[in-house]
Every structure is written in C-alpha cells, then in structure tokens.
Amino acid sequence: MPATYPDSAQLKGRDRKISEALLNKKRFRVLGLTPDDVIKYFFQGNAAVAILVLVLIMVFLLREGAGFFGQNLRNLRIYRLAGLEYVDFIKREVEAHTELTRAANALRMRQFDAYLKEGKTIEEANEALAQYDLFATAFGDTVNEVRSIASDMTEAAVAIKEKEQIYRDTLEQKAMLLRAGRSAEAEAVVASSVDFKSEVEALKAMQPAFLAANVEFASKIKAALALGGREPLQAPYMGPFNQLKKHAETYLNSFASVEAQMARWTNDQPIPWYESVTAFLFGREWLTASFWQDWYGVIPLFVGSLLVSAIALAIAVPLGVAGAIYVSEIASAAEKGIIKPYIEFISAIPSVVLGFFGVAVLGQCLRAVSQTPWLSWFPGFPMSERLNSLTAGCLLAFMAIPTIFSLAEDALNNVPRHFKEASYALGATRFQTIVRILMPASLSGIISAILLGFGRVIGETMVVLLCAGNRIAIPDFTQGIGAFFQPVHTMTGIIAQEMGEVVPGSIHYRALFMVGIVLFIIALGVNFLAQRIVKRYRISIG
Amino acid sequence: MNATFETRMDTLPQAARGSQQGAPDTSDPMIEIDHLDFYYGANHALRDISLQIPGHQVTAFIGPSGCGKSTLLRCFNRMNDLIEGTRIGNGQIRIHGIDISDPAVDTIALRRQVGMVFQKSNPFPKSIYENIAYGLQIQGVRDRRRLDEVVEKSLRGAALWDEVKDRLHTSALGLSGGQQQRVCIARAIAVEPSIILMDEPCSALDPIATAKVEELIHELKKNYTIVIVTHNMQQAGRCSDMTAFFYLGQLIEMGKTEKIFTNPVQKQTEDYISGRFG
C-alpha cells in the first residue's frame, strides 16, 4: 500500500497551528501578566517584605539609639561641671569605710554563731565579744564627721545640678511657647544660665573643713584599731581579723592620694566626645533614676548575659551533641521515634512557663542541694541567693538543647553514609567511627549548631528576667566558681524590665536602645559566623 | 568462640599465603556457603544459596540488578548488620571454616580479615596518608615508622605510589575518581586482610581507570582472595577465574569463568550472558 503524503495546503495549515501554539497568543493574562509572572511577583514580594522589615528595624534601632551618645556626653559634662565628680572623691572614701565596717560586723556574726554552737548562751557570747565590740563600734563611728561633710557637699552639688536642670526646663518651656506663637509669654520667661565656676567655688570652699576632718578621721581609725587588743576572737577568726586590719592600713594610706586628687581637680577640664562611647561600652556601672548621677555602662549587663550563656552552653552542648550522636548513630528506629519528638517538643514550651518553674522549683532545689552539709567542700556552696546565674543558666540550657540537638543531628546525618561504611569495613568500632570519622566530618555543622544555640540563649529574655536574680553588678570573679552562683542582670532582661517605665526620648530610653543594638550586633555576628562555617562544611564534604 | 576465631584468622591466612608462593592451590575453599537464606525484613532476598569460593582466585558475581549479589557480598563481612531489619534466616557462611553468621562472632576482627571496596569511591575527607593509616591507627598502631612503611607498601600494592608519593598529606578528595578508588583499595589492603570484597568497583570509572583497577585485581589475587560484584560482563570475563550467576535471589550457576561464558549449563545463564535479558 503506497504511503499517503499530506498535500501542501494541509501542510501549511498544520504549520500555522504549531506556530500559534508556540506563540500562545491566547494565553490568559491579568494586567498584562501571565499566571507565571503573578506567582513570581507574589513570592518576590514576600521576600522583599521580610528584608524591608529587617532594614526598618535596623534603621529604627539606630535612630532611637544614636541620640544616646550626645545625651550621655552632656550627662558626663554636667557631672564634672556641677562638681559631682569632686564630691565623689569623698563619697568613695566613705563607701570604702562602710565596706570595712560591714566586714567587721560580718566577722562578729561568724564568731557569735561559733560561740552559740559551742553551747554558750547569748549573754555569754556577747560578753566574750566585748573586746571586739569596743573595736567594732569605735571603728564604725570614726567616719561620722567625714560623712556629714560629705552629705553637706552632696546637697550642695545636687543643688547646682538642679539649677542646671531648671535652666534647661525653662529654656524648653520658652521654646515651646515660641513654637506655639505666644511670643509675649515667652518673653516673660527668664532663663538664667548657671555659672558653674562660682557655684563650684562655693563647693570647693568646704575643702579645708574636709581636710581637717580627714586628719581626725585617720587618727581615730588608728585608735580604734588599737582598741581591738591582741586576741579579741578565737583562733579560726584571727586570720580574717588580721586581714581586716591590713585592709584598714591600706585604706589609711589611700587618704593622701584622695586629697591629692581633690587638690588637682578643676571643673573646666574638657571631656572629649569619645568618652560618652567608652563610658557606655566599658562602663562598669549601670545606675539609673538616681538623685545623684546616672551611669550607663553596659559591662555589668554584658557580663551577666555572657555568664548566663556560658553556663547554659556548658550544660547544653554536651547534652545536645551527645543526644544527637545517640539518635543519629546508635538509637533504634523505635527509640528515634520517641526521643526526637520529645526533645523537639521542649522548644514549644513557652519561656515564661519555664521561668516560672525556675522561680518556684529549680532555684529552691539548687539552693537546697547547695546547703547539704556533705557538699560544703564545693567552692561557692552554700549559695546565698535562690535566683542566680546558675538557675537561669540551667533553664536556658534546657531551652538551647532542642536547637543544638536538631542542628547537630542534621549535621551528623549529612555525613555521607559511605564514610561510615568504609570505616566499619576497616574493622573500626562504633566509637572509633563516631569519634574519628563522623565528628570531624560534621564538626563545622556541630560548631554552627552551638553558635546558633548561643544566639538562642543570649537573646532569651523571659527566663533570665525571672530567674537570674536581676542584680546589676559584675559578679565577683575573685570568688572563683562562686561567681557562677551570684545574681546577675542581663541585656535582654534590663530592656524588658525598664522599657515600660522610661520617658520616651530620655537618655535612659536611648540607653536601652543602645543595649538593644549591642544585642542585635551580637546576634548578627553569631549568625553570620554560623553561616560561614556551614558553607565551609559543605565544601569540605565535597 | 572469639578467641579461636581470632587465632585462626591470624594464623591461617599467613600460612596459606606462604604456601601460595608457587602455583595457587585452588583446592582449599576460602568461603563456603551452605543453604543460606537472607531477609530484609519480610523480603526474602537470598534463597537457599550454596557455593564455595576458592582461595587466591578472583570470583565474579554477576546477575541483573536486585538479584542479591551485593547482599551476599555484604554478608561476608557482616556489613548487613548496619542495616536495620536484616537477618540470616537459615544456613551458614564459613570463612576459614568458621561460621561467621554466629552472633557471637567479633565483627571487628572479621572485618579486619575481610576487606571491602565500595561501588562509589569513598576516601575519608582526610589526607591520603591518613586514609591509608586509618585502619592501623584504629587498631592502636602509633609507631610512625611502621605507619609510614605500611602506607608506602599499600600504595605500591595499589599501583598508586608513584602517582601520589609527593602529595601524601594532601586531601584524598583532590584525586581523580580512579585514583580515589585505588586509595580505597590501598586502604583495604593496609590492614592485611585475607579476602577483599569489591562491590562494583569500576562502575563509576572511565575505561582507562577501569583498566588500571582490573590490572590491579589481577596483581592482588596472588596475595588475596577476591570476590567482585560486577554488572560489566566483559569485566567478569577479563578478570575473574570463577563466575557465579544470580537471578532473583537464587544462585543459578557457578563455574569456571570460561565455561560460564562459553558453555553454560543453564538456559537463563546463557540468555543473560548473550544479552537477551537483564
């Protein structure tokens, strides 16, 4: 049968159909967009919104925070101009004395308890301590004169500072009136600027009185030290007592430098602009809403955050990584089916609930454990506070475990199966395979898991606010491990706690934003580092 | 059980190797399989397999995909233990006369005697040197001189020494595919096994690299018993002494390679070899 070929008319018709189909002129369009375009722009728009929001947050943070440095510089300048700095020389001297008195009283308490334990009655104990009390009372009273001068000077300095504040408030009022167009009323408001030079002269006029009192003070301390006698306490407490005496000697020797500092001081030494930055970044004090002087130093908060995070990671990293190794390498399918969802469920617990648990249960438990007698050899035990960095660190560790576990497990699972098989085929044990092949091959993945866990921990707010104890102070690291049992405050906690109370636009408000920026930069840095490491890891596996 | 296994494993191959210096003695079967049944969960993967693999020869397993030849190979060093749900239902596998399907067998010692080379070349992401030395290091060998010696000997044994001697401490992942596969062979022989299992060792290699590996297999059989799984009929013909043909989990036929390829007994074997199915 001969083949039938289409004639040329038929051919033309078919060509046209094909070309029509290919050009697809009849395709459905909305506003000139095909459905494909619409879908593309939809997803593009979503991605753009996410990026835009991030940019907006950064801009907003910077805008609110940037004004801080100017305000802080003025804050620091007034501190010097109004003579607060000058008075602080004396106040620090008085505070150091208070510190010593407190130590002396604490020592008395310990000796007193020891006497009671021996079976003495309260009266007998007091009697035995009579010699010591002579010393302690006399020592405590030595400061009275200097303290009263200090408080006079404090009042004077605060008065100067207040004058400056009133001056600025009136200026503000005037500007507001002018803005409102009530220029006649504005004229009536008179703002008189403060003449710091002469005001501070009045303050400095008190110096001779102080110097005289200081000489008296020193001689009284020497007398008090002699009152203690040779052996006012029992042997185990004589060591600390002699220590205390030594501290008192050094204290006495520091008087000369205090006086020299005061003599050198003038209120017109300029404060360079960068000091408002360094005072924030390296300031060791965060003190707000004080009648005297506000300090915005991020260090105590930063150290608090780091300390709590370090405790959390020290607990969470071994648990999370070991859990991931177990689930990915050792567990049977049934175990995997139980363990994985359980660990991942932890991240679903609201942090406020965990914080509540920490306040109600964990803090109490940890302290009870630390108070058991047979653990008293452990440095820092017993803990003095129920809520401290350890309590918060334990809970944060609990929160970081799912993050570290999941990511580390992914990293381990991403190690190609054939590495593992090759190792087993060479006669390696499971432990050798895990330690020598799997861990090195997934190390960067595990490190990035740890970094992201760190990011999770340092950004966590509710738990630390509830459980870290919220004392704004750098932990006393001279106590060694004991430093981990001290209450701290954190960067996140301070923002959550204080943001609701501050006046928008005030220096305190802006300082909190600066803390936020520091947190933001840390989180950004950690995430950036984690991503870099993950990228390198992909390359190394090849 | 373990003690006897270890001592026999340690003494036998050396003795056997010593007597092999002249003409290979093929009468002594190295691996004996008796009525073996193997399961992946409910899946009956190997059915009633009985065969004997002679020492110091190359035995090729051929057959279409899914016929169980790789599964059988992985039974010899108990690699199937790593896969959950696998079990030997019936039968025995004896290596040097010891039943290795016994759960009491120390798989670590077994795998040091029965080395394996995989389909995809899988050097560790470490240096060439560390790859070869790994097998000894996990046995606790720390002596640097001994390690150096073994690395050189193994690389020479795998015909790779001249190509890599100047870059022993660079990553093994930087080598070509054929070189990587020879690193894997060197790694396997570094622990001095008596048997080397090869699971399609050339399927990812180009013809030139394949030729080198085949040449190497020919060299290795002087010292090792080799079992190779291959899809490549010509390869089986070129480099094996014995050939076993599997189909659907059953051993259809086993015999001298030239006989299987020229005059098979079974119709299925003939069909497969002549390319009518598979």
Side-chain angles (χ1 to χ4, degrees):
Chain A
M1 201 174 85
T4 51
Y5 295 103
D7 60 32
S8 63
Q10 270 176 314
L11 268 178
K12 265 189 190 153
R14 204 175 64 185
D15 286 352
R16 203 174 56 240
K17 262 186 203 156
I18 291 172
S19 83
E20 263 173 26
L22 286 177
L23 291 174
N24 195 5
K25 285 183 184 146
K26 282 186 235 158
R27 208 168 164 191
F28 175 73
R29 279 167 193 269
V30 184
L31 302 169
L33 298 171
T34 63
D36 272 356
D37 290 339
V38 172
I39 289 168
K40 179 186 144 199
Y41 290 131
F42 173 72
F43 288 114
Q44 206 173 34
N46 281 307
V49 166
I51 290 172
L52 191 72
V53 168
L54 185 64
V55 169
L56 280 178
I57 288 175
M58 289 206 285
V59 168
F60 177 73
L61 269 179
L62 283 176
R63 201 189 60 134
E64 293 296 305
F68 168 76
F69 292 118
Q71 285 179 328
N72 198 30
L73 189 58
R74 203 165 60 205
N75 177 34
L76 293 173
R77 282 190 174 148
I78 287 174
Y79 176 63
R80 178 164 291 172
L81 281 175
L84 272 68
E85 190 179 32
Y86 181 68
V87 181
D88 257 349
F89 292 131
I90 306 175
K91 287 181 79 160
R92 270 199 290 274
E93 190 188 290
V94 173
E95 262 163 40
H97 178 269
T98 315
E99 212 44 50
L100 285 170
T101 313
R102 196 174 296 142
N105 289 338
L107 198 55
R108 183 190 194 275
M109 282 284 277
R110 279 166 64 190
Q111 174 68 79
F112 187 73
D113 285 345
Y115 279 143
L116 290 192
K117 226 173 246 171
E118 269 178 18
K120 285 201 167 97
T121 62
I122 293 174
E123 288 78 21
E124 282 169 346
N126 277 331
E127 198 156 323
L129 276 163
Q131 183 71 36
Y132 186 78
D133 284 346
L134 268 177
F135 152 74
T137 322
F139 187 80
D141 289 343
T142 50
V143 78
N144 289 348
E145 195 136 347
V146 173
R147 182 181 278 147
S148 84
I149 289 174
S151 85
D152 286 349
M153 287 175 86
T154 301
E155 267 168 40
V158 168
I160 301 173
K161 197 181 172 189
E162 254 166 30
K163 270 188 200 160
E164 160 71 11
Q165 187 62 43
I166 290 167
Y167 168 61
R168 243 179 303 132
D169 287 349
T170 27
L171 277 186
E172 181 96 341
Q173 195 188 352
K174 204 167 176 176
M176 263 169 67
L177 286 172
L178 278 174
R179 265 203 301 278
R182 287 142 70 174
S183 45
E185 284 175 63
E187 282 297 311
V189 177
V190 184
S192 52
S193 68
V194 184
D195 179 8
F196 286 115
K197 194 84 201 162
S198 63
E199 299 274 1
V200 167
E201 281 311 319
L203 197 62
K204 278 183 116 173
M206 295 182 179
Q207 193 173 352
F210 165 71
L211 287 177
N214 216 22
V215 172
E216 187 100 340
F217 184 32
S219 64
K220 274 186 189 166
I221 289 178
K222 277 179 198 140
L225 285 176
L227 269 178
R230 294 187 68 85
E231 297 268 332
L233 300 171
Q234 284 177 312
Y237 305 101
M238 277 312 288
F241 179 62
N242 288 330
Q243 197 77 26
L244 186 72
K245 273 177 150 175
K246 231 177 246 150
H247 281 307
E249 302 282 350
T250 32
Y251 175 62
L252 278 174
N253 292 337
S254 71
F255 281 12
S257 77
V258 170
E259 284 165 14
Q261 268 178 319
M262 289 180 72
R264 263 205 310 278
W265 184 85
T266 56
N267 74 336
D268 45 13
Q269 244 165 348
I271 292 181
W273 62 270
Y274 56 79
E275 232 168 66
S276 84
V277 180
T278 51
F280 172 74
L281 288 180
F282 307 115
R284 298 164 66 89
E285 234 178 317
W286 179 278
L287 192 69
T288 56
S290 118
F291 83 101
W292 182 243
Q293 171 68 11
D294 287 356
W295 295 106
Y296 302 97
V298 80
I299 287 294
L301 307 171
F302 183 75
V303 170
S305 279
L306 275 192
L307 186 71
V308 171
S309 306
I311 294 171
L313 286 187
I315 300 170
V317 167
L319 289 180
V321 173
I325 288 174
Y326 182 73
V327 165
S328 97
E329 299 309 321
I330 303 172
S332 67
E335 281 178 303
K336 260 184 223 182
I338 297 171
I339 297 171
K340 267 184 79 164
Y342 264 80
I343 291 184
E344 274 151 20
F345 172 73
I346 295 172
S347 58
I349 302 175
S351 59
V352 68
V353 175
L354 274 182
F356 180 68
F357 170 78
V359 170
V361 183
L362 185 68
Q364 202 68 46
C365 284
L366 286 176
R367 192 161 65 162
V369 168
S370 80
Q371 281 165 345
T372 49
W374 53 272
L375 277 177
S376 58
W377 55 269
F378 196 83
F381 276 10
M383 305 174 187
S384 53
E385 301 288 335
R386 187 168 54 97
L387 299 178
N388 55 42
S389 25
L390 181 69
T391 319
C394 287
L395 287 168
L396 285 183
F398 192 59
M399 297 185 73
I401 283 174
T403 309
I404 295 176
F405 169 83
S406 299
L407 292 166
E409 203 222 339
D410 280 352
L412 284 163
N413 283 340
N414 278 339
V415 176
R417 195 188 150 69
H418 55 246
F419 287 158
K420 197 164 60 169
E421 286 197 328
S423 173
Y424 282 124
L426 285 167
T429 62
R430 183 147 63 186
F431 180 74
Q432 285 168 333
T433 306
I434 289 170
V435 172
R436 305 189 58 140
I437 301 297
L438 288 167
M439 299 263 282
S442 59
L443 188 63
S444 37
I446 291 174
I447 289 175
S448 72
I450 293 169
L451 282 178
L452 290 172
F454 174 70
R456 170 98 177 76
V457 162
I458 204 155
E460 168 54 36
T461 306
M462 204 30 111
V463 163
V464 290
L465 187 59
L466 287 171
C467 301
N470 298 354
R471 185 168 77 193
I472 309 173
I474 301 173
D476 181 9
F477 286 103
T478 56
Q479 291 190 12
I481 293 181
F484 294 103
F485 309 137
Q486 290 172 5
V488 292
H489 215 319
T490 56
M491 296 193 285
T492 48
I494 203 99
I495 296 175
Q497 191 180 21
E498 296 186 345
M499 194 49 104
E501 303 162 4
V502 296
V503 184
S506 69
I507 177 170
H508 189 181
Y509 171 86
R510 298 203 191 283
L512 291 178
F513 269 89
M514 279 310 300
V515 175
I517 290 172
V518 170
L519 259 176
F520 189 80
I521 290 170
I522 291 173
L524 213 63
V526 165
N527 273 284
F528 176 73
L529 210 63
Q531 278 181 8
R532 281 283 295 272
I533 290 172
V534 167
K535 228 177 251 166
R536 239 193 56 198
Y537 153 76
R538 288 216 188 94
I539 292 164
S540 78
I541 286 297
Chain B
M1 171 77 213
N2 283 349
T4 53
F5 179 80
E6 295 237 12
T7 47
R8 289 198 66 176
M9 280 295 188
D10 285 343
T11 55
L12 259 177
Q14 254 73 26
R17 220 170 288 159
S19 74
Q20 294 296 324
Q21 289 302 322
D25 175 12
T26 55
S27 61
D28 179 29
M30 191 68 105
I31 307 176
E32 299 163 276
I33 306 165
D34 274 348
H35 303 288
L36 183 75
D37 280 295
F38 185 84
Y39 297 86
Y40 280 114
N43 178 14
H44 198 165
L46 296 175
R47 293 163 192 269
D48 193 28
I49 294 198
S50 296
L51 57 81
Q52 297 192 331
I53 291 168
H56 296 269
Q57 295 207 1
V58 178
T59 305
F61 287 180
I62 60 169
S65 295
C67 69
K69 53 196 186 309
S70 285
T71 304
L72 181 61
L73 194 75
R74 292 166 65 95
C75 281
F76 298 159
N77 62 350
R78 296 265 299 262
M79 283 301 274
N80 287 324
D81 289 11
L82 300 179
I83 301 164
E84 223 167 294
T86 58
R87 69 195 165 87
I88 290 173
N90 245 327
Q92 275 194 344
I93 303 168
R94 286 193 300 277
I95 293 180
H96 296 301
I98 294 164
D99 178 12
I100 60 140
S101 58
D102 190 318
V105 163
D106 179 3
T107 52
I108 311 278
L110 172 68
R111 288 176 190 147
R112 283 172 191 170
Q113 283 303 316
V114 186
M116 190 165 203
V117 176
F118 294 82
Q119 175 175 7
K120 187 173 181 292
S121 61
N122 56 356
F124 300 126
K126 298 169 182 271
S127 71
I128 297 168
Y129 184 96
E130 284 173 327
N131 262 282
I132 315 288
Y134 179 77
L136 287 179
Q137 281 169 345
I138 57 176
Q139 292 181 27
V141 178
R142 293 272 172 277
D143 178 12
R144 191 80 195 170
R145 212 174 323 143
R146 164 109 193 271
L147 289 176
D148 287 347
E149 247 166 52
V150 169
V151 168
E152 178 172 349
K153 198 175 124 204
S154 308
L155 283 170
R156 282 190 194 282
L160 196 60
W161 175 252
D162 293 329
E163 289 165 58
V164 300
K165 65 182 173 200
D166 299 325
R167 47 168 171 157
L168 285 179
H169 295 283
T170 59
S171 171
L173 295 174
L175 298 172
S176 74
Q179 287 173 325
Q180 285 190 15
Q181 193 61 298
R182 278 181 286 151
V183 166
C184 294
I185 294 173
R187 185 174 66 186
I189 60 182
V191 292
E192 303 198 333
S194 51
I195 300 167
I196 298 176
L197 310 173
M198 296 189 174
D199 191 354
E200 299 183 41
C202 302
S203 65
L205 302 184
D206 65 47
I208 294 169
T210 302
K212 281 195 174 160
V213 171
E214 282 178 14
E215 210 176 295
L216 178 58
I217 291 171
H218 203 73
E219 281 296 310
L220 289 174
K221 85 174 176 183
K222 287 178 199 152
N223 292 324
Y224 305 93
T225 301
I226 294 171
V227 186
I228 177 170
V229 165
T230 177
H231 268 293
N232 182 334
M233 224 62 67
Q234 285 85 2
Q235 185 172 57
R238 278 193 301 266
C239 64
S240 73
D241 303 302
M242 303 285 285
T243 299
F245 171 60
F246 293 86
Y247 185 57
L248 296 178
Q250 282 173 306
L251 175 65
I252 304 299
E253 189 174 354
M254 179 169 179
K256 293 229 178 216
T257 298
E258 61 242 73
K259 180 161 186 305
I260 295 279
F261 276 85
T262 54
N263 191 15
V265 176
Q266 300 292 329
K267 175 91 173 48
Q268 278 166 310
T269 317
E270 193 182 343
D271 287 352
Y272 182 70
I273 285 164
S274 54
R276 248 167 277 170
F277 82 96

